[in-house]
Amino acid sequence: MSLRTRLLLAFAAVVLIPIALLAFGFRQEMTRRLQNEYQLRVDTVVADIREDLGRESAGINDRLASLEVALVNDNRFRLAAVVDLESERDYLLDYAGTAMRLTGLSVLQIHDSDGRIISSGHFRNEHGRAEPELTAALAKARGGVALVTMRAADREFLALARSRQFSIGERMFTLVGGIAVDEAFLARLARDRAIVVSLIYPGGELSTVRESTVRLKPDTTTDTTRETTSEAMNPAAVGELQVPLIKSEEGDPLEVVQARLQVTQPLTPLRALARSADRWVLLTAG
C-alpha cells in the first residue's frame, strides 16, 4: 500500500468518524427531545378532554335542571303524568321531542318511578319500555361523565348522558338527557387536525380520521396485533382516557363497560426532520 493511500485512509478515518459520532448523537438527542415534546402535548390534550367532558356533562345537567323547573310548573304535564288524564296523552308523548329541540339536546327521556319511559324525544315510539337500571347506572357515574348506547328509529348511537330526579306531588320522575357522540363531537375534543381522537369500545369504534366501524364479535387478539403493527409502521405519541359506557341493548341486561378515548399525535414531522438531518450529514461527509 502506497504512502498516498495510507494517508487518504487515515484522513478519511479522522474526518468521517467524528462526523458519524456527531450525527448519531445529534439525531438521538433531537429525536428524544421532540418525542418528549409530542408526548407532553398529547398528555395535555388528554387532560383538556377530561375537563371538556366534565364541562359538557355539567352543561347537560344545567339544561335538565331548567327543564325540571318547567315540568314542575306545567299543569298539562301534571294532568298527563300524575293524574293520567287520557286527553293529555298526546301532549305527554310529544313533550320530550319539543323540549329536546328547545334545550339543544340530542337525547331526552322522561322515566316514571318504575323506570318506564313515558316520553322520548329522540325516538317517540320508545314510550312504555322499562329501563330502571339505566337511571341507577347514570347516577353512579363518577363525576357524572358516562356514555350510553341509545336507540333511534333506524340505528343505535352513543350519547354523553346525565340523569336528574324530580318529584311532582308524591310521584317521582327521572330525566335522562344527553348529546350525541360522533366523529364531529370527537373533532371538537381534538381542537387540532394534527391530533387524532378515537373512541374504542366493545363492538365498535369512532375516530376523527375514518368512518366508524362496528365489530359484532370483536377479536381482542386481532385488534391488539393490528394496533401493534400500526404503531410499528406509524410511530406516534399516544394518550388514553377511560370512560364508562352503559350498554343498553334490547333483550339483553344492562351492562357497564369501559370505553377508551385514545389521543394520537403522529410523529410524521419528526421522521421528516430526521431524514432531512441525515441527508445533510451525508452531504457534509461527502
Side-chain angles (χ1 to χ4, degrees):
M1 184 182 295
S2 64
L3 177 61
R4 177 177 296 178
T5 303
R6 289 197 295 269
L7 288 174
L8 179 60
L9 294 176
F11 281 126
V14 168
V15 172
L16 294 180
I17 290 176
I19 290 179
L21 291 176
L22 179 62
F24 177 79
F26 172 75
R27 196 180 194 280
Q28 291 295 106
E29 184 66 17
M30 177 188 69
T31 301
R32 183 185 66 81
R33 292 197 177 193
L34 289 180
Q35 281 181 339
N36 290 340
E37 289 296 326
Y38 275 100
Q39 189 61 52
L40 180 61
R41 183 187 184 195
V42 166
D43 293 341
T44 302
V45 172
V46 170
D48 290 341
I49 289 177
R50 183 182 289 107
E51 294 180 358
D52 288 345
L53 291 177
R55 280 193 294 266
E56 291 282 1
S57 181
I60 294 170
N61 187 62
D62 291 341
R63 298 180 208 181
L64 294 180
S66 64
L67 185 56
E68 174 191 339
V69 175
L71 283 170
V72 170
N73 296 300
D74 191 323
N75 288 327
R76 295 188 67 184
F77 180 84
R78 182 188 298 271
L79 291 174
V82 179
V83 181
D84 198 19
L85 190 64
E86 184 64 26
S87 61
E88 297 294 346
R89 177 175 172 79
D90 288 340
Y91 177 80
L92 176 62
L93 294 180
D94 294 332
Y95 187 91
T98 303
M100 186 181 72
R101 290 187 291 272
L102 292 175
T103 55
L105 298 171
S106 48
V107 167
L108 183 61
Q109 295 173 342
I110 305 176
H111 297 241
D112 63 12
S113 56
D114 296 325
R116 191 173 302 277
I117 300 172
I118 60 175
S119 185
S120 176
H122 57 280
F123 186 18
R124 188 178 187 272
N125 293 337
E126 203 172 23
H127 69 88
R129 185 167 59 84
E131 276 197 344
E133 300 91 352
L134 175 60
T135 55
L138 283 171
K140 294 178 182 177
R142 180 181 301 177
V145 176
L147 301 175
V148 182
T149 56
M150 289 291 182
R151 280 181 290 275
D154 57 345
R155 63 186 178 92
E156 284 191 349
F157 63 97
L158 293 181
L160 179 68
R162 288 286 295 262
S163 66
R164 187 179 181 90
Q165 280 193 334
F166 67 99
S167 62
I168 298 179
E170 297 181 355
R171 296 284 300 275
M172 292 295 301
F173 298 92
T174 303
L175 291 169
V176 175
I179 54 178
V181 174
D182 51 16
E183 289 86 352
F185 179 84
L186 297 181
R188 292 197 301 272
L189 294 179
R191 296 189 179 89
D192 189 341
R193 290 185 177 182
I195 297 291
V196 178
V197 177
S198 303
L199 178 62
I200 305 166
Y201 58 96
E205 178 179 347
L206 293 171
S207 178
T208 56
V209 295
R210 60 182 180 276
E211 295 182 357
S212 62
T213 58
V214 177
R215 298 186 296 275
L216 297 180
K217 295 181 180 179
D219 185 344
T220 305
T221 304
T222 304
D223 292 345
T224 303
T225 303
R226 180 165 59 248
E227 289 179 4
T228 303
T229 304
S230 177
E231 289 177 3
M233 296 177 61
N234 303 295
V238 180
E240 288 186 357
L241 176 64
Q242 299 285 335
V243 182
L245 169 62
I246 303 170
K247 296 187 66 176
S248 175
E249 298 181 358
E250 190 172 2
D252 295 332
L254 184 142
E255 182 183 10
V256 180
V257 298
Q258 291 296 318
R260 288 190 297 132
L261 264 173
Q262 182 172 285
V263 180
T264 306
Q265 169 69 73
L267 299 183
T268 306
L270 174 59
R271 297 180 67 185
L273 182 60
R275 286 194 296 268
S276 178
D278 291 342
R279 287 194 295 269
W280 278 105
V281 169
L282 291 176
L283 286 173
T284 302

